[in-house]
Amino acid sequence: MATISDVASRAGVSTATVSRALNGKSTVDPELVARVIAAARELGYQPNGPARNLRRQEAAVLALIISDVENPFFTAIARGVEDVAHKVGYSVVLCNADENAAKERRYIDVAIQERVAGVIMSPTSTATNIDPLVNRSTPVVAVDRPLPGHPSDTVLVDTRLAAREATEHLLARGYRRIGCVTGPSGVRTAEDRLAGYRDALRAANQRGSTRLVRRTEFRAPGANRAAHELLAQPEPPDALLVANSAMAIGALGALAERGLRPGRDVGVVAFDDVPWAALVDPPLTVVAQPAYEIGTVAAQLLLARVNDGARPATTTTLAARLIERGSSHR
Amino acid sequence: MATISDVASRAGVSTATVSRALNGKSTVDPELVARVIAAARELGYQPNGPARNLRRQEAAVLALIISDVENPFFTAIARGVEDVAHKVGYSVVLCNADENAAKERRYIDVAIQERVAGVIMSPTSTATNIDPLVNRSTPVVAVDRPLPGHPSDTVLVDTRLAAREATEHLLARGYRRIGCVTGPSGVRTAEDRLAGYRDALRAANQRGSTRLVRRTEFRAPGANRAAHELLAQPEPPDALLVANSAMAIGALGALAERGLRPGRDVGVVAFDDVPWAALVDPPLTVVAQPAYEIGTVAAQLLLARVNDGARPATTTTLAARLIERGSSHR
DNA sequence: TTGTACGCGTTATCAA
DNA sequence: TTGATAACGCGTACAA
């Protein structure tokens, strides 16, 4: 494989000049630049990344550690991050922690070992430990969920308010016993959505009952079981607030299995506006989170911090938007 | 940040011994190993990846370049690759080419620059050029679509046969004018699905008509337009074979917009068994591709080739499975 | 079994 | 503006 000195001898210059020419330093004779570029092309020269990163003590790479690659919310974030990063010459490596603290820990180690410029992550839980990153002063931006412990740039959605509005919407539609299927305890978004739900009930002078609330993993099977449990009760809920789209699949499945029609029999609002939401019958009312924008904002914050480690940490909170469809209409 | 010589002095040994101890070489006194490990832990030592990769001339990293992160088919492949790679100590970096030849090209360059051990990719089109990888003898495994030019390990689904069976299923259900919405020309899976569709019509002594076929990008909006065009004709199709799940969303949307009910009015079979397929009304008949298994097989092939570059190239073809649901029932 | 010393390919410093 | 050279941190050949 061609190295920088191969290019240097072919162009009849020193390696230093090749390096300067290829990195666009302004202090190089234009004619030499042309010769270097030609030589590099002829040899199919590609710089050796590890050597460059070793020398520079940093790679033009951002790590994005997300909790679940199969969740469209997180893949949309990924696209936002990529679009911003690529524009300024950074690559993004996507790591799937799979809602698994051990995998997450492993990817944090990989990010450190590879000396990436910065890390964007959605922590799997409040147990997430970023001390290793902080100790090495690798910039970290949290998305979707805040990081425990250290102050860091954070991009969130006002999901508590969104959950409140969604619940108020159900109340306004005439549903009276609203249930909530949310994520595991220890995950901030799960807590916030539940809190927003309770805010709305309290504001309407309803006493929330724990019999109407279930916590489960953020996936379909758990939500399916949870919905069945709620609906099997003597006084079942007449509406459900569901905390993400995978869970919506489980919950809607449970309704179908019980012969209940969303909207008419049980009102349903779920978080995340997935492409198929408008397609089910009746179409699903959702809380649309600005996932792509979370990604772009996070990437901008991270790049800013890479260039200035002393910037004070900020928290950006984006608004979600309720999209009313048939599943919350009797 | 702690280096290997920090660990060495703390443990009272040489850097060579630290290296050997940490890499599990058998020729080290067990007591020294213990001291080294203790020192490394105390210092929070993490090896410098770039330095290690520079020295080793290779990184324990696989690149996975997929055509679309937002397509569940590809994210399932990614999980398969990850699970196999992690088991043997390799990391996976996921790159989203976004069905875009330029991004794909860029990620190939990144893979070369970072000197990854190997690349798994689903080529965006027959124009994909992997010469740069081949020239540097970086092992490549193609998934979903074959690579043009060079013989390489390849993991495919027998999608032509699957399309034929899906079409025969529609014929057996009594549909008589079957249309096909497939992907762009130049993409092998798009061609194969169309070919399988035509195989079935020919076997049934039907003359396929180009008026029943549309090609479009593998996304919902294109498929939506295509389905509208097909259905607006004087003699519209009474069934549709749709080439992936994103396109299914567009096509089902078109049916809804025209007040047509899947199954009863227009039979529908789509590729890829997505979680919501069973949830729409009527449930969607699909061709389930073994995506996760594609990933595991591809990773195994790649790792085998990393260890033995002389292995002959193989092509593995996996079978797809038709899952009959309501959308192909009158 | 352990230590010394070199080189991987690049960039940055310094001198010319 | 250019070139010689040192240094980044690690693994290993070789010597002890």
Side-chain angles (χ1 to χ4, degrees):
Chain A
M1 200 156 340
T3 72
I4 198 171
S5 44
D6 297 329
V7 178
S9 29
R10 180 161 192 122
V13 298
S14 72
T15 60
T17 299
V18 174
S19 176
R20 286 187 283 247
L22 261 25
N23 289 298
K25 306 280 184 218
S26 52
T27 66
V28 187
D29 185 316
E31 195 223 333
L32 285 191
V33 172
R35 255 160 60 197
V36 167
I37 289 177
R41 193 189 346 260
E42 286 156 20
L43 293 171
Y45 170 72
Q46 291 276 19
N48 183 310
R52 162 179 286 175
N53 299 337
L54 172 59
R55 176 62 229 224
R56 290 200 179 148
Q57 297 286 58
E58 180 170 290
V61 171
L62 307 182
L64 172 58
I65 305 176
I66 60 179
S67 341
D68 181 5
V69 253
E70 295 195 308
N71 183 334
F73 172 70
F74 291 114
T75 55
I77 291 179
R79 295 184 41 126
V81 171
E82 273 186 332
D83 286 352
V84 170
H86 282 181
K87 224 164 273 170
V88 295
Y90 276 74
S91 298
V92 177
V93 314
L94 188 53
C95 310
N96 176 31
D98 209 17
E99 298 284 7
N100 173 331
K103 283 194 191 178
E104 177 180 77
R105 177 56 211 252
R106 172 173 179 163
Y107 278 120
I108 289 175
D109 285 347
V110 171
I112 292 170
Q113 287 175 15
E114 298 304 324
R115 306 307 198 250
V116 301
V119 176
I120 298 176
M121 64 184 307
S122 58
T124 57
S125 83
T126 49
T128 294
N129 179 9
I130 59 160
D131 289 350
L133 292 167
V134 173
N135 292 341
R136 291 171 177 76
S137 51
T138 301
V140 180
V141 174
V143 289
D144 185 48
R145 312 167 184 178
L147 278 163
H150 312 273
S152 61
D153 284 310
T154 306
V155 185
L156 304 174
V157 172
D158 192 344
T159 195
R160 178 170 183 164
L161 178 61
R164 175 178 178 154
E165 289 172 353
T167 308
E168 287 172 345
H169 164 73
L170 286 166
L171 288 167
R173 286 283 178 221
Y175 298 100
R176 283 296 162 260
R177 285 182 59 79
I178 301 172
C180 179
V181 179
T182 190
S185 61
V187 179
R188 176 65 165 270
T189 46
E191 305 293 0
D192 281 352
R193 288 165 200 180
L194 178 57
Y197 156 85
R198 289 185 169 142
D199 290 343
L201 296 189
R202 201 175 311 117
N205 288 317
Q206 283 209 6
R207 267 222 331 285
S209 159
T210 56
R211 289 210 308 276
L212 291 176
V213 172
R214 286 295 180 283
R215 291 169 180 281
T216 169
E217 40 157 24
F218 269 125
R219 309 205 195 251
N224 185 267
R225 281 190 300 275
H228 272 300
E229 282 176 31
L230 289 174
L231 296 166
Q233 296 178 111
E235 293 186 279
D238 64 359
L240 291 176
L241 177 67
V242 182
N244 86 356
S245 63
M247 296 173 105
I249 288 173
L252 291 175
L255 292 190
E257 285 145 21
R258 297 183 161 264
L260 297 170
R261 183 172 166 81
R264 188 194 61 198
D265 301 321
V266 180
V268 179
V269 179
F271 272 75
D272 295 340
D273 188 29
V274 282
W276 52 265
L279 219 62
V280 292
D281 179 46
L284 186 63
T285 295
V286 297
V287 175
Q289 300 193 85
Y292 180 87
E293 196 183 359
I294 293 173
T296 59
V297 171
Q300 283 156 358
L301 287 172
L302 184 59
L303 290 168
R305 180 162 299 278
V306 166
N307 296 320
D308 173 12
R311 282 179 77 255
T314 63
T315 295
T316 307
T317 304
L318 304 174
R321 187 173 103 254
L322 186 72
I323 301 181
E324 301 182 22
R325 300 201 182 98
S327 71
S328 55
H329 257 270
R330 288 193 197 267
Chain B
M1 197 154 348
T3 72
I4 197 170
S5 45
D6 297 329
V7 178
S9 31
R10 181 160 192 122
V13 298
S14 72
T15 60
T17 299
V18 173
S19 175
R20 285 187 283 248
L22 259 26
N23 289 296
K25 303 284 185 217
S26 51
T27 66
V28 185
D29 185 318
E31 195 224 333
L32 285 192
V33 173
R35 256 163 54 199
V36 167
I37 289 178
R41 192 188 347 260
E42 286 158 20
L43 293 171
Y45 170 71
Q46 291 276 20
N48 182 309
R52 161 180 282 175
N53 298 336
L54 172 60
R55 175 62 230 225
R56 290 200 179 145
Q57 299 284 53
E58 181 170 291
V61 171
L62 306 182
L64 172 57
I65 306 176
I66 60 179
S67 345
D68 181 6
V69 252
E70 295 195 308
N71 183 333
F73 172 70
F74 291 115
T75 53
I77 291 179
R79 295 184 42 126
V81 171
E82 273 186 332
D83 286 353
V84 170
H86 283 182
K87 225 164 274 171
V88 294
Y90 276 75
S91 298
V92 176
V93 313
L94 189 52
C95 311
N96 176 29
D98 211 16
E99 298 284 6
N100 174 329
K103 283 194 191 176
E104 177 180 77
R105 178 55 211 256
R106 170 170 181 167
Y107 277 121
I108 289 175
D109 285 347
V110 170
I112 292 170
Q113 287 174 14
E114 297 303 322
R115 304 311 196 247
V116 301
V119 176
I120 298 176
M121 64 184 305
S122 59
T124 58
S125 82
T126 50
T128 294
N129 179 10
I130 59 160
D131 288 352
L133 291 167
V134 174
N135 293 339
R136 291 171 175 77
S137 51
T138 301
V140 180
V141 173
V143 289
D144 186 48
R145 313 167 184 177
L147 278 163
H150 312 273
S152 61
D153 284 309
T154 306
V155 185
L156 305 174
V157 172
D158 193 345
T159 195
R160 177 168 183 166
L161 179 62
R164 175 179 178 154
E165 289 172 353
T167 309
E168 286 171 346
H169 164 72
L170 286 167
L171 288 167
R173 286 283 179 223
Y175 297 101
R176 284 295 163 259
R177 285 183 60 78
I178 301 172
C180 179
V181 180
T182 190
S185 61
V187 179
R188 174 67 165 270
T189 45
E191 306 293 1
D192 281 353
R193 287 165 200 179
L194 179 57
Y197 157 83
R198 288 186 169 142
D199 291 343
L201 296 189
R202 202 175 310 117
N205 289 316
Q206 282 209 9
R207 269 221 331 284
S209 160
T210 57
R211 290 209 307 275
L212 291 175
V213 172
R214 285 295 180 282
R215 290 168 180 283
T216 169
E217 41 158 24
F218 270 124
R219 309 205 194 250
N224 185 268
R225 281 190 300 274
H228 272 300
E229 283 176 30
L230 289 173
L231 295 166
Q233 297 179 108
E235 294 184 279
D238 63 359
L240 291 175
L241 177 66
V242 183
N244 84 358
S245 62
M247 297 172 105
I249 289 172
L252 291 174
L255 292 190
E257 285 146 21
R258 295 179 162 265
L260 297 169
R261 184 174 165 79
R264 188 192 63 196
D265 301 322
V266 180
V268 179
V269 179
F271 272 75
D272 294 341
D273 189 29
V274 282
W276 51 266
L279 220 62
V280 291
D281 181 45
L284 186 62
T285 296
V286 298
V287 175
Q289 300 193 84
Y292 180 86
E293 196 184 358
I294 293 174
T296 59
V297 172
Q300 283 156 359
L301 286 172
L302 185 60
L303 291 168
R305 180 162 300 278
V306 165
N307 296 319
D308 172 12
R311 280 179 80 258
T314 63
T315 295
T316 306
T317 304
L318 304 174
R321 186 173 102 254
L322 185 73
I323 301 180
E324 300 181 23
R325 299 199 182 99
S327 70
S328 56
H329 258 272
R330 286 191 197 272

